[in-house]
Amino acid sequence: MRIPFIGSEPKTEQKRANCHGGPQADTTGLPLVAIVGCPNVGKSVLFNVLTGAYVTVSNYPGTTVEVARGKGRLNGKEVGIVDTPGMYRLLPLTEEERVAREILLGDRPDVVIHVVDAKNLERMLPMALQLIEAGLPVILDVNLMDEAERLGVQVDVVALEQTLGVPVVPTALALGRGVTKLRGLLVAYLDSRLAGRSFESLPVRTQYHRAIEEGLEAISTQLRRHGAYHYHLTDRAIGLLLLQGDADVTSLVRAQFGVRADELLQIAEATRARFSRPISYIVARDQQEAARRALRPVLKLPEQRVSDFADRLSEAMINPLTGIPILVLVLLLLYEFVGVLGAQTLVDLLEGTVFEAYVNPWVDLALAAFIPWPVLRDLVGGQYGIITLGVRYAVAIILPIVGTFFLAFSIIEDSGYLPRLAMLIDRVFKRIGLNGRAVIPMVLGFGCDTMATIVTRTLETRRERLISTFLLALAIPCSAQLGVMLGLLAGQPALLAVWASIVVGVFLLVGFLAARLIPGERPTFYMELPPLRVPTFSNVLVKTYTRMEWYLREVFPLFVAASVLIWMGQLTGLFDSVVGALVPLVRWIGLPDEAGVAFLFGFFRRDYGAAGLYDLRTTMSGVQLLVATTTLTLFLPCIAQFSVTLKERGWKTALAISAFIFPFAFLVGGVLNWILTRLRVPLL
């Protein structure tokens, strides 16, 4: 018996974009295909294959979990595609799993493609059994077959399909293998309406402990007797979730049945009382055993696992003795690519050759010839004009740096290095009250601190979320700001090394002290390690392109808006007043008065302030460059990040963080200037 789900109506039109997202594809009224599975199994690659483009994600309503939607064409017909967050089971333990289940049940997809890793079938098949048992229209995509074959793992796909009773497709999506067959199955599923197949008719059925089976039968009897109309699951699946104490399903049962729900909940409570262990443990154990039975005639593993170069490299990346030198090498390569190619070569070409030599002079001449009002000329041209300052910063200084960073980050992301980096630094992060999982928002912070602040909500405890938000605001420069800093210090390795050491030292010291002062439970850590892979050229380019598109759509207008605000500030005198208030602090840390403008810019956008320092690079000594870059790196977060912190952590926390950071940044800058000048450190 299949029972429809109550929950929210499909959320297709309710998606809202964040700083890393754009407009979602409207899939309302279209047949919907949902892609589910564990992280790092190729879900996003399949999404790209079916939609033809990597669609930038947006937050699911009421959460910070990101969901991607797009459109594709199958046999000439348009369909909606949704890429769900990673999930391991129908019983959600994390916010990501809760959102993924809500999509499955609330959006009611016509087809559910469960993507699994062929090398780890035994671990991933229990979720497939749960989806089938729930009566969902499943196609099993056994992906990464190329990697499984390389390791000697053999999967009898035909036998697996016969055992499960659902279509099974072997694929190597990154190589394009199996895509045609998968598309054909999708067309057949949608055209012939195979989505109504129920689990009870399938050859395999999970056999649970006798007490659980008795409880399931009793609950199913009650559901059939009272007639539940608001669940999009089989009564067996509903009963299983009730037995495991699923809070969402329990609330829905109460809403549906009222006082009669007590009968169902009493059955669930009586069943749980028969076990000394949590019933979810017993259920998971039985599902794992059912998966093993199903795979015995299907899966053939090599007698001895062959350790190839990728395995040895993976172990080296996690081992501190070898992982730290590898990390240093990665950072050096990142510096050469972003700091030298992007921040020097490309910026010099665009900013020096194109804008300073051609664009800015032409704009000023055209304005002088056609615009008689100086006020309007200053809005477009001059020192702080929309084109001569805003567009120049955005296109000539920030764009090449962001572009090279996004390209490098896409390569690192697709290679599988990030989870290994998380494993490597987990021990260090625990010293500052975090765990290895926090590497995700920290690394994302190097792309956009505002986005990373939102992602901190995925961390387990309030203490971790507070510490990570604080450290992101203090010591993690966004990609554009980082790129400009690299450009300012490029060609001076000593300055760059000292700057990086100070910022890392502040990050660790302040984090260590915060972990001692902020109460809360210690973090735990678990992360799945995907295999190391050679990044797919097309996938890297598509990701880079869409992130660049996001930059031009979301960030570029902010530079224009900042130019207008500065123009208005000059007209009203407010701009000069604020700069005047900053001048004593700027002088105290040994910088020229003009640097006050850069710090004011930095409050609008941190990268805008960094670009302001870039204009002063030829007038400052090595000591001043080092002090300026260090102070601005530790300076107040931009308005967007402050606003998100205000929303996520509350006004008291947001103001407390800012009240600490503002004087602390200038204190570090002042102490650094005093040490360098007193010791007469020879920095060019």
Side-chain angles (χ1 to χ4, degrees):
M1 174 183 178
R2 180 196 298 269
I3 313 174
F5 178 71
I6 191 171
S8 306
E9 289 302 311
K11 303 291 195 304
T12 306
E13 296 181 335
Q14 301 179 36
K15 303 287 183 235
R16 55 184 175 84
N18 60 24
C19 75
H20 188 54
Q24 289 284 341
D26 185 2
T27 57
T28 305
L30 297 177
L32 187 63
V33 177
I35 304 172
V36 303
C38 302
N40 303 306
V41 294
K43 294 191 282 78
S44 296
V45 178
L46 177 58
F47 181 81
N48 296 347
V49 168
L50 295 179
T51 60
Y54 188 92
V55 176
T56 307
V57 296
S58 290
N59 289 347
Y60 197 76
T63 74
T64 58
V65 178
E66 296 175 330
V67 176
R69 289 181 184 268
K71 295 179 182 179
R73 300 196 72 83
L74 294 173
N75 201 24
K77 298 179 181 178
E78 194 170 53
V79 298
I81 313 292
V82 56
D83 183 11
T84 66
M87 65 184 301
Y88 297 89
R89 59 195 73 79
L90 273 181
L91 179 69
L93 297 181
T94 65
E95 190 177 20
E96 288 90 343
E97 289 183 320
R98 186 167 289 106
V99 167
R101 190 180 72 172
E102 175 66 17
I103 291 171
L104 287 178
L105 306 183
D107 286 17
R108 304 185 184 184
D110 297 280
V111 181
V112 176
I113 303 178
H114 182 204
V115 186
V116 296
D117 182 352
K119 307 185 301 300
N120 296 297
L121 265 181
E122 186 174 305
R123 183 165 50 82
M124 297 185 180
L125 198 63
M127 180 179 155
L129 296 180
Q130 293 173 58
L131 296 173
I132 298 170
E133 188 173 38
L136 296 171
V138 178
I139 292 177
L140 187 65
D141 179 358
V142 184
N143 192 31
L144 304 174
M145 286 294 293
D146 54 324
E147 296 179 3
E149 292 164 358
R150 190 179 70 244
L151 296 174
V153 177
Q154 300 178 29
V155 182
D156 189 336
V157 175
V158 176
L160 182 60
E161 184 171 276
Q162 292 173 349
T163 300
L164 298 180
V166 299
V168 180
V169 188
T171 61
L173 294 171
L175 304 178
R177 283 174 48 185
V179 172
T180 301
K181 182 176 181 180
L182 181 57
R183 285 179 175 274
L185 280 173
L186 275 174
V187 172
Y189 236 58
L190 293 170
D191 288 348
S192 61
R193 302 299 179 185
L194 293 177
R197 185 185 304 220
S198 63
F199 181 84
E200 284 77 9
S201 65
L202 299 176
V204 168
R205 171 174 171 152
T206 303
Q207 187 66 36
Y208 296 104
H209 187 280
R210 180 173 56 84
I212 294 176
E213 289 290 345
E214 291 173 359
L216 286 175
E217 180 58 33
I219 290 175
S220 296
T221 300
Q222 293 293 328
L223 288 172
R224 287 191 292 267
R225 176 183 303 169
H226 297 304
Y229 299 105
H230 298 292
Y231 301 97
H232 189 47
L233 291 175
T234 60
D235 53 4
R236 183 176 174 86
I238 287 291
L240 200 59
L241 291 170
L242 279 177
L243 290 178
Q244 296 176 87
D246 185 288
D248 294 335
V249 172
T250 300
S251 298
L252 294 172
V253 167
R254 287 191 179 278
Q256 170 67 22
F257 290 105
V259 294
R260 291 179 300 176
D262 291 338
E263 300 176 25
L264 294 169
L265 300 179
Q266 287 171 6
I267 295 171
E269 183 61 34
T271 304
R272 287 194 290 269
R274 299 174 67 177
F275 296 94
S276 59
R277 291 181 173 182
I279 200 170
S280 57
Y281 169 81
I282 308 298
V283 169
R285 184 194 63 188
D286 293 343
Q287 290 169 345
Q288 191 66 53
E289 181 56 36
R292 291 194 189 98
R293 287 197 304 270
L295 288 175
R296 281 189 193 118
V298 171
L299 185 63
K300 185 177 181 182
L301 301 175
E303 295 182 2
Q304 184 175 0
R305 179 178 173 84
V306 179
S307 179
D308 59 7
F309 174 74
D311 292 326
R312 294 191 294 272
L313 180 58
S314 177
E315 293 175 2
M317 288 176 171
I318 299 173
N319 188 322
L321 293 177
T322 51
I324 293 176
I326 291 174
L327 174 60
V328 172
L329 177 61
V330 170
L331 294 176
L332 287 174
L333 292 175
L334 186 65
Y335 166 72
E336 288 294 327
F337 189 65
V338 179
V340 176
L341 176 62
Q344 291 186 60
T345 306
L346 296 180
V347 168
D348 287 346
L349 174 65
L350 291 174
E351 203 260 347
T353 304
V354 177
F355 271 83
E356 288 189 359
Y358 296 101
V359 176
N360 285 9
W362 181 85
V363 168
D364 288 337
L365 287 173
L367 290 171
F370 297 103
I371 304 296
W373 303 283
V375 172
L376 291 182
R377 289 203 298 266
D378 290 340
L379 174 63
V380 179
Q383 188 177 2
Y384 301 119
I386 291 176
I387 295 178
T388 53
L389 180 71
V391 175
R392 176 169 67 89
Y393 276 12
V395 175
I397 298 178
I398 308 299
L399 184 65
I401 298 167
V402 167
T404 50
F405 177 84
F406 282 159
L407 181 60
F409 184 77
S410 297
I411 294 172
I412 294 172
E413 184 181 35
D414 272 21
S415 69
Y417 179 62
L418 280 182
R420 287 160 178 82
L421 178 59
M423 296 287 289
L424 175 67
I425 67 175
D426 177 60
R427 184 176 300 177
V428 174
F429 268 32
K430 280 189 168 63
R431 298 281 186 180
I432 60 175
L434 303 174
N435 62 40
R437 185 179 173 86
V439 75
I440 297 173
M442 293 304 165
V443 172
L444 287 176
F446 288 106
C448 175
D449 279 302
T450 307
M451 171 187 63
T453 302
I454 295 174
V455 173
T456 59
R457 282 187 61 182
T458 62
L459 300 179
E460 294 179 3
T461 66
R462 179 184 178 278
R463 179 172 179 260
E464 289 178 90
R465 294 191 288 271
L466 180 57
I467 293 174
S468 58
T469 301
F470 178 33
L471 293 177
L472 281 168
L474 175 66
I476 302 294
C478 66
S479 60
Q481 184 190 24
L482 176 63
V484 179
M485 297 301 187
L486 293 176
L488 282 165
L489 303 177
Q492 303 183 66
L495 290 179
L496 181 62
V498 175
W499 170 78
S501 299
I502 293 172
V503 173
V504 172
V506 166
F507 178 90
L508 295 176
L509 176 61
V510 174
F512 177 81
L513 295 175
R516 299 303 177 275
L517 296 174
I518 299 175
E521 57 186 288
R522 291 183 175 272
T524 57
F525 178 59
Y526 169 80
M527 176 169 283
E528 179 132 357
L529 279 183
L532 286 175
R533 304 184 181 102
V534 176
T536 306
F537 181 71
S538 59
N539 203 40
V540 168
L541 286 184
V542 168
K543 284 186 176 183
T544 304
Y545 169 78
T546 54
R547 285 165 176 158
M548 293 289 289
E549 183 185 30
W550 161 78
Y551 169 80
L552 291 173
R553 183 180 62 247
E554 301 290 338
V555 179
F556 180 82
L558 296 178
F559 279 86
V560 175
S563 295
V564 175
L565 288 175
I566 292 171
W567 173 74
M568 293 175 62
Q570 286 183 301
L571 285 180
T572 60
L574 179 62
F575 180 78
D576 293 333
S577 298
V578 176
V579 172
L582 288 172
V583 166
L585 290 173
V586 168
R587 290 176 180 173
W588 183 70
I589 61 175
L591 301 183
D593 292 355
E594 293 80 5
V597 177
F599 283 97
L600 178 58
F601 284 6
F603 184 64
F604 288 107
R605 284 192 58 83
R606 297 177 80 171
D607 45 348
Y608 213 100
L613 285 184
Y614 191 85
D615 282 345
L616 300 175
R617 67 191 185 280
T618 57
T619 64
M620 290 192 291
S621 65
V623 170
Q624 289 177 316
L625 275 176
L626 180 58
V627 171
T629 51
T630 301
T631 307
L632 189 60
T633 303
L634 303 176
F635 191 57
L636 288 172
C638 65
I639 292 177
Q641 187 180 356
F642 176 81
S643 300
V644 168
T645 302
L646 190 71
K647 178 182 177 183
E648 296 291 321
R649 305 288 170 258
W651 66 271
K652 290 183 179 179
T653 300
L655 291 179
I657 289 175
S658 299
F660 173 85
I661 289 177
F662 183 82
F664 180 79
F666 282 100
L667 176 64
V668 172
V671 171
L672 179 62
N673 178 62
W674 183 84
I675 292 174
L676 294 176
T677 53
R678 285 300 181 95
L679 297 181
R680 301 181 184 275
V681 178
L683 296 176
L684 299 177

